[in-house]
Structure formats: structure tokens, C-alpha cells
Amino acid sequence: MQILIAQLPALLGVLVGALGTVLATSIADRRRWKRSLSVRWDERRLDAYAEFARVLKEIQAVSVRILATDTGDGSRSGMDPAVGLPRLADADVRHTLAWENILLLGDASTVRAAQSWRDAVWSIEDLARGVANGDESLPDRLHRANEARDAFYRAARGGLDVSGGTVAQSELLRQRLGPTLTAGSSQPGDSGRTDA
């Protein structure tokens, strides 16, 4: 019994050390798992944001090309509506699928920005389909879409913790267009290239 009592501090030290090791390993594993999970969700969010952006840019580009053909705009490569409208229908289906990923994975500010960009692009698409509401000109619609795209990218980059400064394009595009866009031209064909 004397030997057991003499060995008790050493046994307690081994026991406390083993428990400490198990606890420290458990905490480290949990942190590693959470970090891994966070990276995995960020990758999925990035993929969802990129797919959404690709589809919206396709809808905008096809719409602008249809409008270039309809108005005889020689500064853009036009697209016959018979070819473009089916492409818009296909892109709309892909947009619907991409939108669900945005709703599922996006944070609140990115979803709001995505919705604004989507609505601005839809106004351009409506113009190409001949069902546009309001009297907003194509250059104004394009500028609104470009500003909304910038807001979407700011929100997405913020949510993904991407640093590196601004990637805004709308003001650059506005400057490149010069007075035709700032004057609020109502002719779809006289605005120069606005679908950057």
C-alpha cells in the first residue's frame, strides 16, 4: 500500500497528461474540421457565384447582339433573333438553376446584390424580346446592369474574404462610352460597345 501511495503522484501526472493530450488533440481536430468545412463551402460559393455571373453575362451579351441586329447597329456583331431567342431561353434555364445555388449558398448581401444585377439584366433581355416596360434607353439599362454587376462582385468578394482592391468596371465603361451614354441616348444602336 505504501508503494501505491508513493506512486500515486506519478500515476496522477500520467493520467492528467493523457487527458490533456486527448483534449488538445480533440480541440485541434475540431478546429481543423471547421476550417476544412469553411474552405469547402467557400469553394462551392465561389463556383455558384461564377456560374451565376457567366449565365447573366451570356443573357446580356446575347440580348445586346439581338438588339444590334434589330437596330442595324454596325458597331456590334449582331445576332438574328431566330438564333438569339432560343439561346436566351436556354440561358434562362441555366440562370434558374444557378439562382437556386445563390439562394442556397450566398450570404444575405450577396443574394440582394445578385437579385439587383439579375433584374437589371432582365430589363435588357426584355428589350431584346420586345416586351420591355418603361422608356429607359438601352445605354441606361446597360449602365444599370454594369453598376449592379460591380455591387454583386463587391458583395461576393466581401463574403468570400477576397482582398486586392476594387474590380469595378461600370465607371470605366461609362467613360469609354463618352457623351452618348451620359446623354441618355434612346437609340439602342448609337451607344458604342457597352457589354464589357
Side-chain angles (χ1 to χ4, degrees):
M1 185 72 159
Q2 285 275 342
I3 297 175
L4 182 62
I5 291 175
Q7 297 295 322
L8 191 59
L11 289 173
L12 286 174
V14 169
L15 182 62
V16 168
L19 288 175
T21 301
V22 167
L23 182 62
T25 303
S26 174
I27 290 171
D29 285 347
R30 181 173 296 189
R31 284 184 182 158
R32 194 175 312 117
W33 180 78
K34 283 185 176 181
R35 196 171 28 253
S36 170
L37 187 62
S38 174
V39 167
R40 186 174 31 201
W41 283 117
D42 282 349
E43 288 172 358
R44 289 191 181 194
R45 255 190 296 282
L46 175 61
D47 291 344
Y49 295 164
E51 178 60 21
F52 179 76
R54 276 191 293 273
V55 172
L56 276 188
K57 284 303 293 182
E58 180 181 352
I59 291 170
Q60 181 174 329
V62 170
S63 297
V64 168
R65 289 183 65 197
I66 290 171
L67 289 165
T69 297
D70 286 349
T71 61
D73 181 359
S75 66
R76 290 191 186 93
S77 171
M79 181 181 290
D80 186 329
V83 174
L85 291 176
R87 283 189 62 186
L88 282 177
D90 178 58
D92 280 338
V93 169
R94 287 184 286 113
H95 160 265
T96 299
L97 299 174
W99 178 246
E100 294 304 316
N101 285 334
I102 294 290
L103 291 175
L104 179 65
L105 299 170
D107 58 75
S109 65
T110 303
V111 170
R112 279 191 304 274
Q115 187 172 17
S116 294
W117 186 22
R118 179 192 66 181
D119 292 346
V121 169
W122 275 351
S123 78
I124 298 166
E125 181 184 8
D126 288 347
L127 199 60
R129 290 181 183 277
V131 294
N133 294 323
D135 59 353
E136 188 179 25
S137 69
L138 176 61
D140 290 339
R141 290 170 194 249
L142 288 167
H143 183 65
R144 187 163 51 98
N146 289 334
E147 285 182 332
R149 179 186 61 189
D150 288 351
F152 170 74
Y153 283 134
R154 272 192 307 275
R157 288 167 58 98
L160 292 170
D161 235 2
V162 175
S163 60
T166 183
V167 294
Q169 297 292 303
S170 64
E171 194 53 41
L172 174 68
L173 292 170
R174 189 179 195 77
Q175 290 171 3
R176 219 168 81 191
L177 293 172
T180 57
L181 182 60
T182 56
S185 168
S186 62
Q187 293 299 317
D190 66 358
S191 60
R193 184 171 170 80
T194 58
D195 58 350

